[in-house]
Amino acid sequence: MALYLVGEAIDSKRAHLRAQAGELIQLTRGVYVDQAGDIEVTILGHAVRIARYLYPTAYLSSASAALLGPAPDGRLFISGRRNQRTRLRTLEIIQNVAPPHPSTAPSVVGDDMGELRVDVSSPRQRFLEAFRLRSEHATAITDPLRAEMAARLIEEYRSPQAAADAVWTLARENEWYREGEGAERYLLARPFKDKAPVNKAALNRLVAWHGEPLGRLNHDGFEWRWTPTTRSGPPLVRQAAPGKLPAFIESLLPEGWLAQVLHERDERDALKHGKRFMSNIAVVQSREELDLLPPDILQVQLGAFLDSGRFTGRYAGPARGQIAETFEQNLALLFSRAETPRLSGVQIKAPMSLMADGTLTPAIDLPFTHILKPSGTAGFETLAVVEWLCLELGRAAGFEVPAAALIDMSDGMAPALVVERFDIRRGPEDRRLLAMEDFCSILDLPTSAKYDGTIERIARGLRPLSTEPAADLQILFRRAMFAWLIADGDMHLKNLALLKIASRGSRRFETVRFAPVFDVVTTRVFPGLAGDRMALKLNGKDDRLTPKDFLTLARTIELPVARAEAAIAQVASRVRDAVPTLALPDFARRSKANRSAADRVKAIVLERSEAFA
């Protein structure tokens, strides 16, 4: 499969025309690959060439200077004039500011396009880079690699002291005094390293995906360090900010109600006491503990126990107590066990397992296959009903939507919603490895910033990662359109995600596509939210959107206007036509509050869709 760099192997006009014809895929400005073939292999196989093209004055540094290529997790480290990063599928090019007086050396790197000469950090400089403070370049240098660097310097300078003196000379030239001190201590005190006192509060956890180790997550009492395994699969977890918890791991942690129930002080507490998380992630102390956890594999599909939107199986989950216990208190008891999967999101929800006989029971020591979403309180008693209606509208609009059903709860409780997970294997014969990554993680943002993005920013993050970027940009466009039509004011960065799928034993994802619809709600029907706006802006607006705003969005994200116009008409007409046929299950219609909420949802959707159809 060929790589095309504008100005080197192809001119810009020809590249654009071939991309428009579907022959080439644009990864970023000036970088194209063939539509057919293995894109991931092409990108990683030409990583250094791509980096030199995008950053012609930079040089390889940190672990990449020693490896002459990307690290096993797909990160390629360079140094240049500024801090900058570019992500192309599984390759992430990370540039930091070079020292004022760098020490570099020439090297030769070969790929399918031939050989190229690039500068790299000299052995002295790359060893100093291993001791930089709060530097991603430093954290990429593993302990074995650091030891190899030290041995290389000692061999060159004939003694640890001479090597330390040589490193100090370069450190002084660049005012890297702390780095020089760290390098000197390492070179001269190496035999005594293992005798250092241990912080008993330190946390060391094995992170696994589908039962296979991805790496180790350590907290020394001050900051986090992520160390991937040498034989890890696709690069799922990345530590973009040195010392900070990787964004992918942070996106899995409990929020809102569950965070309050667990009484966990911080992210360290959450990972200390929880073992099972979404996206088939386990965080445990040892491999033996990992082997005791059940794999999350679908045993029976929800559709087998579904009749006109109603769950026909047997609900065996939390209920109201006989005396004073509330449903919420009984639900909270599930999470007293570390084996109970943790869920993110502020809404009250619980992990459930649907058994072959139709019993829906808490997933404590069982596969986590479904999510229970009970209705809320204080004006949100119809939340489950409204979400079910919005999922059905999404299905009618042509989106991929997971199976969902309303549960007739006992003791006069409002209906609950059960949703089937789409990020797990569909049975024991299914050998795929699946992970869902939300856009807070994709954009390397903390969970607290989930309302800070824009649709345009999501598109920029989506394009280089998706295996079908043109199709996924259109899905993003249609999702934004759908959110406006149903007045979903909570479509934030954590409620949009990519679904990544790899084969067992593979080091790359075969498909990275926009995830199915989840967590969609008409927020304007709830108390205090009658004027709720879009959570993410598009074309600089979050309210009073018109077809013109969406066409401007299309041009910004490079979606052909003809396709955008067709998508607008199609989504609006499908949603409008679905409203008259949308009906609650009979048991849910018995409630006046449910009927009223459904009528308000339909009225909002009809008004907005008719303005666009």
Side-chain angles (χ1 to χ4, degrees):
M1 183 177 189
L3 172 76
Y4 299 90
L5 303 176
V6 171
E8 293 187 9
I10 195 171
D11 61 81
S12 60
K13 182 177 181 180
R14 188 179 174 205
H16 179 72
L17 290 175
R18 291 187 64 185
Q20 289 290 94
E23 297 176 10
L24 300 182
I25 293 177
Q26 182 181 17
L27 299 176
T28 188
R29 187 178 299 275
V31 182
Y32 295 80
V33 293
D34 283 327
Q35 171 73 37
D38 196 322
I39 298 176
E40 309 292 350
V41 171
T42 301
I43 294 172
L44 292 175
H46 298 85
V48 176
R49 188 176 297 274
I50 293 171
R52 192 187 67 167
Y53 177 80
L54 297 175
Y55 305 97
T57 62
Y59 56 88
L60 295 181
S61 56
S62 179
S64 294
L67 301 171
L68 296 181
D73 61 2
R75 292 181 296 171
L76 183 77
F77 297 94
I78 60 176
S79 294
R81 290 178 291 183
R82 63 178 67 88
N83 289 321
Q84 197 168 347
R85 63 199 308 134
T86 299
R87 191 169 173 186
L88 305 175
R89 303 288 180 92
T90 53
L91 171 67
E92 189 166 19
I93 304 170
I94 303 168
Q95 177 179 250
N96 72 351
V97 178
H101 305 288
S103 173
T104 61
S107 67
V108 180
V109 176
D111 57 24
D112 291 340
M113 297 175 67
E115 293 184 351
L116 62 155
R117 298 187 177 276
V118 294
D119 287 337
V120 302
S121 294
S122 69
R124 287 188 301 158
Q125 180 166 311
R126 74 185 70 151
F127 191 62
L128 283 171
E129 288 167 348
F131 296 92
R132 299 231 65 189
L133 299 179
R134 291 190 173 278
S135 166
E136 188 172 357
H137 281 55
T139 60
I141 298 176
T142 61
D143 288 338
L145 186 55
R146 187 181 302 192
E148 289 179 16
M149 291 179 177
R152 161 69 174 75
L153 289 170
I154 292 171
E155 181 180 6
E156 179 180 355
Y157 293 99
R158 303 299 180 88
S159 73
Q161 183 61 62
D165 292 342
V167 170
W168 253 116
T169 300
L170 181 59
R172 291 190 186 93
E173 289 177 6
N174 292 288
E175 298 183 355
W176 281 10
Y177 300 116
R178 290 183 180 273
E179 290 82 351
E181 291 171 356
E184 182 181 47
R185 281 195 301 270
Y186 189 94
L187 288 166
L188 299 182
R190 177 70 178 162
F192 306 102
K193 183 181 178 184
D194 295 335
K195 298 182 180 180
V198 177
N199 179 7
K200 298 297 179 65
L203 189 69
N204 186 315
R205 288 292 186 270
L206 174 69
V207 178
W209 180 48
H210 287 278
E212 291 298 324
L214 283 179
R216 297 206 73 91
L217 192 61
N218 296 279
H219 193 279
D220 59 6
F222 175 67
E223 62 183 8
W224 291 100
R225 182 183 179 92
W226 167 250
T227 307
T229 59
T230 55
R231 56 185 182 87
S232 60
L236 184 61
V237 180
R238 301 167 182 266
Q239 189 174 29
K244 301 296 183 183
L245 185 66
F248 180 79
I249 301 295
E250 183 183 352
S251 71
L252 304 175
L253 302 185
E255 306 170 73
W257 172 82
L258 183 54
Q260 296 175 2
V261 164
L262 294 171
H263 303 296
E264 291 165 346
R265 294 168 294 182
D266 52 27
E267 55 197 22
R268 180 181 166 278
D269 260 4
L271 291 167
K272 184 177 182 181
H273 299 122
K275 295 182 180 180
R276 301 168 63 192
F277 298 86
M278 293 287 288
S279 287
N280 307 286
I281 293 293
V283 181
V284 294
Q285 296 188 62
S286 65
R287 182 61 195 248
E288 292 73 23
E289 189 176 9
L290 174 64
D291 292 339
L292 296 175
L293 299 179
D296 294 336
I297 301 176
L298 194 67
Q299 301 173 82
V300 60
Q301 295 189 15
L302 181 61
F305 303 96
L306 181 59
D307 181 22
S308 301
R310 177 176 183 167
F311 176 61
T312 59
R314 184 176 70 88
Y315 174 71
R320 284 178 176 165
Q322 296 296 319
I323 307 177
E325 299 90 348
T326 66
F327 171 81
E328 192 172 326
Q329 288 171 331
N330 287 333
L331 186 63
L333 289 176
L334 296 179
F335 295 97
S336 61
R337 293 275 303 277
E339 291 79 11
T340 302
R342 273 41 175 167
L343 298 90
S344 61
V346 299
Q347 184 181 351
I348 298 176
K349 59 187 77 169
M352 306 296 286
S353 185
L354 182 60
M355 312 301 288
D357 63 356
T359 301
L360 187 67
T361 188
I364 298 177
D365 293 311
L366 297 169
F368 172 24
T369 62
H370 292 76
I371 299 173
L372 177 74
K373 296 185 173 185
S375 289
T377 57
F380 288 83
E381 289 81 2
T382 61
L383 180 58
V385 166
V386 171
E387 183 168 351
W388 180 83
L389 288 167
C390 291
L391 289 173
E392 291 302 302
L393 285 171
R395 209 181 309 276
F399 294 106
E400 187 177 351
V401 179
L406 289 170
I407 300 177
D408 190 2
M409 302 292 282
S410 60
D411 302 322
M413 294 175 57
L417 179 71
V418 59
V419 180
E420 190 162 279
R421 288 182 62 186
F422 53 78
D423 62 333
I424 59 174
R425 287 178 278 166
R426 312 301 289 178
E429 296 80 20
D430 188 350
R431 303 293 294 168
R432 298 175 302 160
L433 304 178
L434 302 94
M436 185 178 75
E437 184 174 11
D438 65 47
F439 274 88
C440 268
S441 172
I442 291 166
L443 300 176
D444 288 322
L445 294 173
T447 297
S448 57
K450 63 185 179 182
Y451 291 102
D452 295 347
T454 64
I455 300 299
E456 292 86 348
R457 186 177 183 185
I458 290 175
R460 289 196 297 272
L462 168 67
R463 185 188 295 278
L465 297 180
S466 170
T467 50
E468 294 189 38
D472 278 339
L473 283 172
Q474 187 163 344
I475 291 175
L476 171 63
F477 181 84
R478 296 173 70 243
R479 284 293 309 274
M481 175 81 184
F482 180 67
W484 170 250
L485 294 181
I486 67 169
D488 183 358
D490 204 39
M491 191 187 74
H492 49 66
L493 294 176
K494 285 186 66 64
N495 284 342
L496 294 170
L498 293 179
L499 184 62
K500 302 181 172 185
I501 303 177
S503 298
R504 191 169 294 276
S506 174
R507 297 181 65 85
R508 65 180 182 83
F509 291 105
E510 276 76 25
T511 63
V512 179
R513 296 298 312 277
F514 216 97
V517 170
F518 64 96
D519 287 356
V520 286
V521 174
T522 302
T523 53
R524 287 201 171 200
V525 303
F526 297 107
L529 298 177
D532 202 24
R533 298 166 177 259
M534 291 275 283
L536 304 173
K537 289 184 178 181
L538 62 89
N539 193 29
K541 297 170 63 176
D542 57 11
D543 199 10
R544 301 183 184 277
L545 298 177
T546 66
K548 183 179 178 180
D549 293 310
F550 283 93
L551 291 177
T552 301
L553 169 67
R555 286 188 286 269
T556 302
I557 66 175
E558 299 182 13
L559 179 67
V561 173
R563 291 185 187 178
E565 291 175 335
I568 291 172
Q570 183 187 69
V571 173
S573 61
R574 285 185 175 184
V575 169
R576 179 196 60 194
D577 295 345
V579 169
T581 62
L582 192 61
L584 291 173
D586 290 340
F587 80 91
R589 283 189 54 79
R590 292 196 292 265
S591 164
K592 181 180 178 181
N594 290 341
R595 294 196 303 273
S596 176
D599 290 342
R600 281 181 287 163
V601 170
K602 292 180 180 181
I604 290 172
V605 173
L606 272 178
E607 179 183 359
R608 293 193 173 189
S609 59
E610 286 175 351
F612 278 75

